[in-house]
Amino acid sequence: MGFCLMEGNEAMAWGAVDSGCRFFAGYPITPATTIFNALLKLLPPLGGICLQGEDEIASIGYCLGASMGGLKVMTATSGPGISLYSEHISFAIGSEIPIVIVDVQRLGPSTGSATRGADGDIQFLRWGNSGGLPVIVLAPVDVKDCYSLTVEAFNLAEEFRCPVFIASNKEIAMTRENIDMDAFGIPRIIDRSSPPPGRPFIPFEVPSDSRTPYFLPIGGRTIVRQTSSTHGPDGYITTDSDEIAGIQDRLNTKLLSAVAEFSFHESFPEEDADTLLLAYGITGRAGRDAYNALKKSGKPVSLLILKTLWPVPEELIREKAGPVNRVVVVEMNLGQYVREIERILPDKKIDFLGRMDGKLITPRQIEEVVFDV
Amino acid sequence: MSSLLNTSRPPVFCPGCSHDRITHALDKAFLNLGFQGEDVVIVTDIGCSGLFDTFFNTHAFHGLHGRALTYATGLKMAHPELNVIVTMGDGGLGIGGAHILSACRRNLDLTLLVLNNFNFGMTGGQFSATTPLNALVGSGFLNRMERPIDVCQVASSAGAPYAKRFSSYAKNLVEEMENAIRFEGFSILDIWGICPGRYTKRNRLTPKTIEDTLAKMPSMKNPVPENLRKEYGRHYRELAAHQKPVQRPTTIERQFTPPEAGRKEVIILGSAGQRIITAGEILCLAGLAAGLQTTQKNEYNITVLRGHSITEVILSPEEIGYTGIERPDVVLALSQDGVERRRHIFENLDDQSLIILGKEIDLPPCNAEVHPIDFKALKIKPHDRALASLGILAKLSRIIHPDMLESAIKYKFRSAVLASAQDMVERAKIG
Ligand code: SF4
């Protein structure tokens, strides 16, 4: 066994390529630029396409076109770009276009601090679309996750025909780390499913055993319609309110009902613990250090590191919080995901530790909050 | 061969709308070109021109206002053989201005029909990028101050190899469309038309006045001779075919035992141009050669050739959680800029910490063991000082030893650079 040295962004590029991604379009923006740099080297020799858009709106627009052309696509940006993606994110949700979107978060608001990390977009990723339908958001903790969650992101985008976000952070994306690339093996790859042959293709018709429509590419031998407007199964505008209600309900439940299948996390339960530490992203690592230190000093806490943030893995959180009376939520913002925890655990005491100054939350800070009951 | 018009969804334009003519002309052009529905995708955006995709039995992609060219680009790159027809109004033209310019610059084989009727029809006749200054529109007086653009002049100055303007009442409308579709490259057609639903309610515009105005416009050669060049998709595939495949990153196997046990933290404080980040990487690689886990965080100015440059490296036999450094085991203080930037760390240092210090640099008071080095006397230039300091660290057997460093340098550098790096490490003497 050996290691190589790689930053999170580069690991994501490899994860994308190994998942079958063959189209990337992006726009240079710190701290996401090195994803574009890496894919510009990786994709063309594989027959893939890597484009620099004239702006972020164009970059994600290219991706939506290419995805409907049948390619697996990815784009990557940071806060200012993710804001510009918004209208196309809504499009991808409503019109079920598979796409992986990386948000390498920087300290906001707005152009903020390009080279300082934060997890300040966590609610924005969920709600930054018109219509408010759910999305999938995964959050890597380290360089290994940057690889493996990218693979998961592609699989989920294909399986559910939806945008999947990876909520990275400058502190993971641009930090180099040891990684054992061979340890991943050959990833399990999911492709969007084609309809069974011998029947007329209806672009948004859903098989009886699934909530996700079959996919055929625009440009193939069967005519395919795609539209950003509210549409019926045939892909034409509909004004029938029952039909509309049915579609909205399907878009809502196709993800909410399935989150238990992809509730990625790391859990460290301690039998005698009365407190559960809950963290995600780069902060999960300080959480792990704090957990170890507290255990050593005979004041154990349980630890849950979430890697699926949206839809909220409610079942998982309730289960892990079951044995404790108190949950301490730690995140690199002024309190975003803690709202979800308060919502789903109304009977627990919820404490919060946040920081938004470009500095990492330290294990010591976490220990202090846990002690100071 | 038959019409590709969708008989179950006939056009629904206002009576007298010139979009209707264009719809039928486009269908004839498809017919003449021998296209089947699956040979074509019609990409549209918002407004009355955005209804086009529904009137045809072809592939269809309908999206957001002004963005049709972006989807078209992705589709065409994915399917080079597909005929990609984009329709857009003068509204979408203005909204997606950046996309128009870059489509012209790029020269991907798309055909853009600008259905130019001088206003936002669907939303109430507001002014667009082509509305004349004296027109009466739904935006009150606002259009009187904004000069309309000449679509073809803008397009050709942005590099479009095919940019033509004509009337939707032109006799050769079908032929014009065929020519544009046949052209291998980006073609943009500025098709002037009448919107009786909105525009001509308050403005006089007839097929005759359109013809007269067009006749007075500067004439253009088509294809535009100075813009003729390779089609983007073809060119892209040609260049891409010459790109070297990237090897999977090679792993470094554990060959050594590190000189010290436990987690070790190093901060290198320097300036831009001192190869601080590279030195940090070499330290990480040396750690990997001893089976250690490692992280490297960097901090430098946005203007990369100026100011501080700092790298923070952790080496540890265990998995590294928190990647910050509170109390480094070693500081390489190689520039005043770098030291000032991290002044606060020095008060945390105790006599277990080691500082390798460029002799000319002022250090805040601290309790660490300090090794001043006269780099000048050793004839070590600023850009080699970080690497040379690693040599000193190795000679002191702190965190790394010379074999670890040598193996990292060999992994990172080749030939001449390798030799000079080895020389630098050799030359570094403990002061
Ligand atoms: S509003 Fe104008 S452009 Fe739209 S259909 Fe009516 S006449 Fe045609």
PDB file of all heavy atoms in Angstrom, chain B residues 12-20 47-49 51 115 117 119-125 194-200, ligand 1:
ATOM      1  N   VAL B  12     -49.771  28.866 -33.260  1.00  0.00           N
ATOM      2  CA  VAL B  12     -50.842  29.594 -32.564  1.00  0.00           C
ATOM      3  C   VAL B  12     -50.551  31.089 -32.511  1.00  0.00           C
ATOM      4  O   VAL B  12     -50.967  31.779 -31.605  1.00  0.00           O
ATOM      5  CB  VAL B  12     -50.975  29.076 -31.110  1.00  0.00           C
ATOM      6  CG1 VAL B  12     -51.559  27.684 -31.093  1.00  0.00           C
ATOM      7  CG2 VAL B  12     -49.613  29.081 -30.404  1.00  0.00           C
ATOM      8  N   PHE B  13     -49.794  31.592 -33.503  1.00  0.00           N
ATOM      9  CA  PHE B  13     -49.431  33.012 -33.476  1.00  0.00           C
ATOM     10  C   PHE B  13     -50.632  33.897 -33.779  1.00  0.00           C
ATOM     11  O   PHE B  13     -51.619  33.451 -34.362  1.00  0.00           O
ATOM     12  CB  PHE B  13     -48.331  33.273 -34.517  1.00  0.00           C
ATOM     13  CG  PHE B  13     -47.094  32.441 -34.306  1.00  0.00           C
ATOM     14  CD1 PHE B  13     -46.681  31.517 -35.267  1.00  0.00           C
ATOM     15  CD2 PHE B  13     -46.337  32.569 -33.149  1.00  0.00           C
ATOM     16  CE1 PHE B  13     -45.543  30.756 -35.085  1.00  0.00           C
ATOM     17  CE2 PHE B  13     -45.191  31.805 -32.958  1.00  0.00           C
ATOM     18  CZ  PHE B  13     -44.799  30.894 -33.928  1.00  0.00           C
ATOM     19  N   CYS B  14     -50.519  35.178 -33.407  1.00  0.00           N
ATOM     20  CA  CYS B  14     -51.567  36.145 -33.757  1.00  0.00           C
ATOM     21  C   CYS B  14     -51.712  36.189 -35.280  1.00  0.00           C
ATOM     22  O   CYS B  14     -50.722  36.002 -35.991  1.00  0.00           O
ATOM     23  CB  CYS B  14     -51.199  37.554 -33.289  1.00  0.00           C
ATOM     24  SG  CYS B  14     -50.870  37.721 -31.544  1.00  0.00           S
ATOM     25  N   PRO B  15     -52.915  36.463 -35.757  1.00  0.00           N
ATOM     26  CA  PRO B  15     -53.069  36.574 -37.215  1.00  0.00           C
ATOM     27  C   PRO B  15     -52.123  37.648 -37.770  1.00  0.00           C
ATOM     28  O   PRO B  15     -52.006  38.721 -37.177  1.00  0.00           O
ATOM     29  CB  PRO B  15     -54.529  37.006 -37.388  1.00  0.00           C
ATOM     30  CG  PRO B  15     -55.201  36.664 -36.096  1.00  0.00           C
ATOM     31  CD  PRO B  15     -54.154  36.704 -35.033  1.00  0.00           C
ATOM     32  N   GLY B  16     -51.443  37.326 -38.839  1.00  0.00           N
ATOM     33  CA  GLY B  16     -50.546  38.293 -39.467  1.00  0.00           C
ATOM     34  C   GLY B  16     -49.136  38.293 -38.897  1.00  0.00           C
ATOM     35  O   GLY B  16     -48.274  39.035 -39.367  1.00  0.00           O
ATOM     36  N   CYS B  17     -48.893  37.468 -37.887  1.00  0.00           N
ATOM     37  CA  CYS B  17     -47.554  37.422 -37.276  1.00  0.00           C
ATOM     38  C   CYS B  17     -46.564  36.793 -38.253  1.00  0.00           C
ATOM     39  O   CYS B  17     -46.825  35.740 -38.818  1.00  0.00           O
ATOM     40  CB  CYS B  17     -47.604  36.593 -36.001  1.00  0.00           C
ATOM     41  SG  CYS B  17     -45.976  36.332 -35.258  1.00  0.00           S
ATOM     42  N   SER B  18     -45.425  37.423 -38.438  1.00  0.00           N
ATOM     43  CA  SER B  18     -44.491  36.872 -39.428  1.00  0.00           C
ATOM     44  C   SER B  18     -43.806  35.590 -38.943  1.00  0.00           C
ATOM     45  O   SER B  18     -43.212  34.867 -39.736  1.00  0.00           O
ATOM     46  CB  SER B  18     -43.472  37.916 -39.873  1.00  0.00           C
ATOM     47  OG  SER B  18     -42.998  38.639 -38.794  1.00  0.00           O
ATOM     48  N   HIS B  19     -43.892  35.283 -37.652  1.00  0.00           N
ATOM     49  CA  HIS B  19     -43.369  33.994 -37.167  1.00  0.00           C
ATOM     50  C   HIS B  19     -43.998  32.823 -37.927  1.00  0.00           C
ATOM     51  O   HIS B  19     -43.376  31.775 -38.097  1.00  0.00           O
ATOM     52  CB  HIS B  19     -43.668  33.809 -35.679  1.00  0.00           C
ATOM     53  CG  HIS B  19     -42.866  34.711 -34.771  1.00  0.00           C
ATOM     54  ND1 HIS B  19     -42.042  35.707 -35.227  1.00  0.00           N
ATOM     55  CD2 HIS B  19     -42.776  34.732 -33.417  1.00  0.00           C
ATOM     56  CE1 HIS B  19     -41.469  36.323 -34.183  1.00  0.00           C
ATOM     57  NE2 HIS B  19     -41.899  35.749 -33.077  1.00  0.00           N
ATOM     58  N   ASP B  20     -45.248  33.023 -38.320  1.00  0.00           N
ATOM     59  CA  ASP B  20     -45.969  31.958 -39.002  1.00  0.00           C
ATOM     60  C   ASP B  20     -45.287  31.618 -40.329  1.00  0.00           C
ATOM     61  O   ASP B  20     -45.110  30.454 -40.675  1.00  0.00           O
ATOM     62  CB  ASP B  20     -47.417  32.414 -39.240  1.00  0.00           C
ATOM     63  CG  ASP B  20     -48.336  31.227 -39.480  1.00  0.00           C
ATOM     64  OD1 ASP B  20     -48.392  30.358 -38.579  1.00  0.00           O
ATOM     65  OD2 ASP B  20     -48.960  31.175 -40.560  1.00  0.00           O
ATOM     66  N   GLY B  47     -40.608  33.482 -25.068  1.00  0.00           N
ATOM     67  CA  GLY B  47     -41.273  34.446 -25.946  1.00  0.00           C
ATOM     68  C   GLY B  47     -41.995  33.701 -27.056  1.00  0.00           C
ATOM     69  O   GLY B  47     -42.016  32.476 -27.094  1.00  0.00           O
ATOM     70  N   CYS B  48     -42.564  34.462 -27.995  1.00  0.00           N
ATOM     71  CA  CYS B  48     -43.330  33.819 -29.061  1.00  0.00           C
ATOM     72  C   CYS B  48     -42.422  32.952 -29.932  1.00  0.00           C
ATOM     73  O   CYS B  48     -42.827  31.889 -30.401  1.00  0.00           O
ATOM     74  CB  CYS B  48     -44.058  34.866 -29.882  1.00  0.00           C
ATOM     75  SG  CYS B  48     -45.201  35.848 -28.869  1.00  0.00           S
ATOM     76  N   SER B  49     -41.179  33.379 -30.120  1.00  0.00           N
ATOM     77  CA  SER B  49     -40.242  32.563 -30.901  1.00  0.00           C
ATOM     78  C   SER B  49     -39.902  31.274 -30.158  1.00  0.00           C
ATOM     79  O   SER B  49     -39.435  30.312 -30.756  1.00  0.00           O
ATOM     80  CB  SER B  49     -38.955  33.347 -31.155  1.00  0.00           C
ATOM     81  OG  SER B  49     -38.294  33.570 -29.922  1.00  0.00           O
ATOM     82  N   LEU B  51     -41.912  29.254 -28.998  1.00  0.00           N
ATOM     83  CA  LEU B  51     -42.916  28.207 -29.219  1.00  0.00           C
ATOM     84  C   LEU B  51     -42.501  27.280 -30.358  1.00  0.00           C
ATOM     85  O   LEU B  51     -43.112  26.238 -30.572  1.00  0.00           O
ATOM     86  CB  LEU B  51     -44.270  28.856 -29.561  1.00  0.00           C
ATOM     87  CG  LEU B  51     -44.842  29.800 -28.487  1.00  0.00           C
ATOM     88  CD1 LEU B  51     -46.036  30.581 -29.058  1.00  0.00           C
ATOM     89  CD2 LEU B  51     -45.272  28.995 -27.267  1.00  0.00           C
ATOM     90  N   LEU B 115     -35.539  35.938 -34.656  1.00  0.00           N
ATOM     91  CA  LEU B 115     -36.841  36.384 -35.151  1.00  0.00           C
ATOM     92  C   LEU B 115     -37.040  37.798 -34.634  1.00  0.00           C
ATOM     93  O   LEU B 115     -37.581  38.018 -33.550  1.00  0.00           O
ATOM     94  CB  LEU B 115     -37.942  35.437 -34.666  1.00  0.00           C
ATOM     95  CG  LEU B 115     -38.154  34.169 -35.497  1.00  0.00           C
ATOM     96  CD1 LEU B 115     -36.863  33.395 -35.718  1.00  0.00           C
ATOM     97  CD2 LEU B 115     -39.177  33.259 -34.845  1.00  0.00           C
ATOM     98  N   ASN B 117     -38.490  41.158 -34.279  1.00  0.00           N
ATOM     99  CA  ASN B 117     -39.682  41.980 -34.519  1.00  0.00           C
ATOM    100  C   ASN B 117     -39.678  43.219 -33.632  1.00  0.00           C
ATOM    101  O   ASN B 117     -40.715  43.797 -33.349  1.00  0.00           O
ATOM    102  CB  ASN B 117     -40.968  41.152 -34.387  1.00  0.00           C
ATOM    103  CG  ASN B 117     -41.102  40.510 -33.028  1.00  0.00           C
ATOM    104  OD1 ASN B 117     -40.419  40.898 -32.082  1.00  0.00           O
ATOM    105  ND2 ASN B 117     -41.976  39.528 -32.916  1.00  0.00           N
ATOM    106  N   ASN B 119     -39.401  44.069 -30.581  1.00  0.00           N
ATOM    107  CA  ASN B 119     -39.958  44.246 -29.226  1.00  0.00           C
ATOM    108  C   ASN B 119     -40.156  42.891 -28.539  1.00  0.00           C
ATOM    109  O   ASN B 119     -40.086  41.838 -29.158  1.00  0.00           O
ATOM    110  CB  ASN B 119     -41.281  45.024 -29.269  1.00  0.00           C
ATOM    111  CG  ASN B 119     -42.478  44.205 -29.770  1.00  0.00           C
ATOM    112  OD1 ASN B 119     -43.597  44.419 -29.350  1.00  0.00           O
ATOM    113  ND2 ASN B 119     -42.263  43.266 -30.690  1.00  0.00           N
ATOM    114  N   PHE B 120     -40.367  42.949 -27.230  1.00  0.00           N
ATOM    115  CA  PHE B 120     -40.767  41.765 -26.462  1.00  0.00           C
ATOM    116  C   PHE B 120     -42.264  41.590 -26.693  1.00  0.00           C
ATOM    117  O   PHE B 120     -43.061  42.318 -26.077  1.00  0.00           O
ATOM    118  CB  PHE B 120     -40.533  41.986 -24.964  1.00  0.00           C
ATOM    119  CG  PHE B 120     -39.099  41.848 -24.503  1.00  0.00           C
ATOM    120  CD1 PHE B 120     -38.153  42.846 -24.717  1.00  0.00           C
ATOM    121  CD2 PHE B 120     -38.698  40.704 -23.821  1.00  0.00           C
ATOM    122  CE1 PHE B 120     -36.851  42.716 -24.270  1.00  0.00           C
ATOM    123  CE2 PHE B 120     -37.384  40.569 -23.365  1.00  0.00           C
ATOM    124  CZ  PHE B 120     -36.450  41.573 -23.599  1.00  0.00           C
ATOM    125  N   GLY B 121     -42.628  40.690 -27.605  1.00  0.00           N
ATOM    126  CA  GLY B 121     -44.040  40.554 -27.943  1.00  0.00           C
ATOM    127  C   GLY B 121     -44.857  39.994 -26.793  1.00  0.00           C
ATOM    128  O   GLY B 121     -45.810  40.615 -26.307  1.00  0.00           O
ATOM    129  N   MET B 122     -44.457  38.844 -26.297  1.00  0.00           N
ATOM    130  CA  MET B 122     -45.298  38.089 -25.368  1.00  0.00           C
ATOM    131  C   MET B 122     -45.612  38.858 -24.088  1.00  0.00           C
ATOM    132  O   MET B 122     -46.698  38.763 -23.544  1.00  0.00           O
ATOM    133  CB  MET B 122     -44.614  36.770 -25.042  1.00  0.00           C
ATOM    134  CG  MET B 122     -45.521  35.734 -24.411  1.00  0.00           C
ATOM    135  SD  MET B 122     -44.612  34.208 -24.075  1.00  0.00           S
ATOM    136  CE  MET B 122     -45.088  33.192 -25.453  1.00  0.00           C
ATOM    137  N   THR B 123     -44.656  39.648 -23.615  1.00  0.00           N
ATOM    138  CA  THR B 123     -44.846  40.292 -22.306  1.00  0.00           C
ATOM    139  C   THR B 123     -45.472  41.673 -22.389  1.00  0.00           C
ATOM    140  O   THR B 123     -45.640  42.343 -21.377  1.00  0.00           O
ATOM    141  CB  THR B 123     -43.501  40.429 -21.575  1.00  0.00           C
ATOM    142  OG1 THR B 123     -42.556  40.991 -22.503  1.00  0.00           O
ATOM    143  CG2 THR B 123     -42.994  39.100 -21.074  1.00  0.00           C
ATOM    144  N   GLY B 124     -45.749  42.140 -23.609  1.00  0.00           N
ATOM    145  CA  GLY B 124     -46.436  43.426 -23.691  1.00  0.00           C
ATOM    146  C   GLY B 124     -45.749  44.482 -24.528  1.00  0.00           C
ATOM    147  O   GLY B 124     -46.010  45.678 -24.355  1.00  0.00           O
ATOM    148  N   GLY B 125     -44.865  44.079 -25.406  1.00  0.00           N
ATOM    149  CA  GLY B 125     -44.282  45.022 -26.352  1.00  0.00           C
ATOM    150  C   GLY B 125     -43.244  45.957 -25.763  1.00  0.00           C
ATOM    151  O   GLY B 125     -43.116  47.108 -26.189  1.00  0.00           O
ATOM    152  N   ILE B 194     -42.876  41.215 -38.507  1.00  0.00           N
ATOM    153  CA  ILE B 194     -43.926  42.097 -37.999  1.00  0.00           C
ATOM    154  C   ILE B 194     -44.679  41.400 -36.873  1.00  0.00           C
ATOM    155  O   ILE B 194     -45.046  40.235 -36.992  1.00  0.00           O
ATOM    156  CB  ILE B 194     -44.895  42.478 -39.141  1.00  0.00           C
ATOM    157  CG1 ILE B 194     -44.138  43.342 -40.162  1.00  0.00           C
ATOM    158  CG2 ILE B 194     -46.113  43.216 -38.610  1.00  0.00           C
ATOM    159  CD1 ILE B 194     -44.930  43.643 -41.408  1.00  0.00           C
ATOM    160  N   CYS B 195     -44.885  42.143 -35.812  1.00  0.00           N
ATOM    161  CA  CYS B 195     -45.629  41.642 -34.653  1.00  0.00           C
ATOM    162  C   CYS B 195     -46.910  42.456 -34.528  1.00  0.00           C
ATOM    163  O   CYS B 195     -46.939  43.496 -33.872  1.00  0.00           O
ATOM    164  CB  CYS B 195     -44.759  41.793 -33.397  1.00  0.00           C
ATOM    165  SG  CYS B 195     -45.636  41.635 -31.827  1.00  0.00           S
ATOM    166  N   PRO B 196     -47.982  42.003 -35.209  1.00  0.00           N
ATOM    167  CA  PRO B 196     -49.226  42.787 -35.147  1.00  0.00           C
ATOM    168  C   PRO B 196     -49.835  42.786 -33.755  1.00  0.00           C
ATOM    169  O   PRO B 196     -50.546  43.720 -33.383  1.00  0.00           O
ATOM    170  CB  PRO B 196     -50.147  42.091 -36.155  1.00  0.00           C
ATOM    171  CG  PRO B 196     -49.436  40.881 -36.655  1.00  0.00           C
ATOM    172  CD  PRO B 196     -48.087  40.816 -36.054  1.00  0.00           C
ATOM    173  N   GLY B 197     -49.533  41.759 -32.985  1.00  0.00           N
ATOM    174  CA  GLY B 197     -50.101  41.667 -31.636  1.00  0.00           C
ATOM    175  C   GLY B 197     -49.644  42.816 -30.760  1.00  0.00           C
ATOM    176  O   GLY B 197     -50.393  43.293 -29.895  1.00  0.00           O
ATOM    177  N   ARG B 198     -48.425  43.288 -30.948  1.00  0.00           N
ATOM    178  CA  ARG B 198     -47.886  44.343 -30.088  1.00  0.00           C
ATOM    179  C   ARG B 198     -47.307  45.507 -30.892  1.00  0.00           C
ATOM    180  O   ARG B 198     -47.815  46.608 -30.860  1.00  0.00           O
ATOM    181  CB  ARG B 198     -46.771  43.778 -29.195  1.00  0.00           C
ATOM    182  CG  ARG B 198     -47.195  42.642 -28.307  1.00  0.00           C
ATOM    183  CD  ARG B 198     -48.154  43.087 -27.208  1.00  0.00           C
ATOM    184  NE  ARG B 198     -48.381  42.008 -26.263  1.00  0.00           N
ATOM    185  CZ  ARG B 198     -49.275  42.043 -25.294  1.00  0.00           C
ATOM    186  NH1 ARG B 198     -50.065  43.099 -25.147  1.00  0.00           N
ATOM    187  NH2 ARG B 198     -49.417  41.028 -24.472  1.00  0.00           N
ATOM    188  N   TYR B 199     -46.245  45.211 -31.644  1.00  0.00           N
ATOM    189  CA  TYR B 199     -45.434  46.303 -32.187  1.00  0.00           C
ATOM    190  C   TYR B 199     -46.193  47.196 -33.164  1.00  0.00           C
ATOM    191  O   TYR B 199     -46.153  48.418 -33.065  1.00  0.00           O
ATOM    192  CB  TYR B 199     -44.176  45.738 -32.840  1.00  0.00           C
ATOM    193  CG  TYR B 199     -43.171  46.811 -33.187  1.00  0.00           C
ATOM    194  CD1 TYR B 199     -42.432  47.428 -32.188  1.00  0.00           C
ATOM    195  CD2 TYR B 199     -42.981  47.222 -34.495  1.00  0.00           C
ATOM    196  CE1 TYR B 199     -41.520  48.430 -32.487  1.00  0.00           C
ATOM    197  CE2 TYR B 199     -42.074  48.220 -34.812  1.00  0.00           C
ATOM    198  CZ  TYR B 199     -41.349  48.816 -33.802  1.00  0.00           C
ATOM    199  OH  TYR B 199     -40.452  49.806 -34.092  1.00  0.00           O
ATOM    200  N   THR B 200     -46.876  46.575 -34.127  1.00  0.00           N
ATOM    201  CA  THR B 200     -47.497  47.420 -35.161  1.00  0.00           C
ATOM    202  C   THR B 200     -48.837  47.990 -34.711  1.00  0.00           C
ATOM    203  O   THR B 200     -49.518  48.659 -35.465  1.00  0.00           O
ATOM    204  CB  THR B 200     -47.656  46.663 -36.500  1.00  0.00           C
ATOM    205  OG1 THR B 200     -48.340  45.439 -36.256  1.00  0.00           O
ATOM    206  CG2 THR B 200     -46.308  46.400 -37.137  1.00  0.00           C
TER     207      THR B 200
HETATM  208  S1  SF4 C   1     -47.378  38.874 -29.910  1.00  0.00           S
HETATM  209 FE1  SF4 C   1     -46.339  39.448 -31.776  1.00  0.00          FE
HETATM  210  S2  SF4 C   1     -44.735  37.931 -32.000  1.00  0.00           S
HETATM  211 FE2  SF4 C   1     -46.181  37.121 -30.569  1.00  0.00          FE
HETATM  212  S3  SF4 C   1     -47.567  35.904 -31.791  1.00  0.00           S
HETATM  213 FE3  SF4 C   1     -48.479  37.888 -31.586  1.00  0.00          FE
HETATM  214  S4  SF4 C   1     -47.773  38.970 -33.368  1.00  0.00           S
HETATM  215 FE4  SF4 C   1     -46.480  37.207 -33.187  1.00  0.00          FE
END
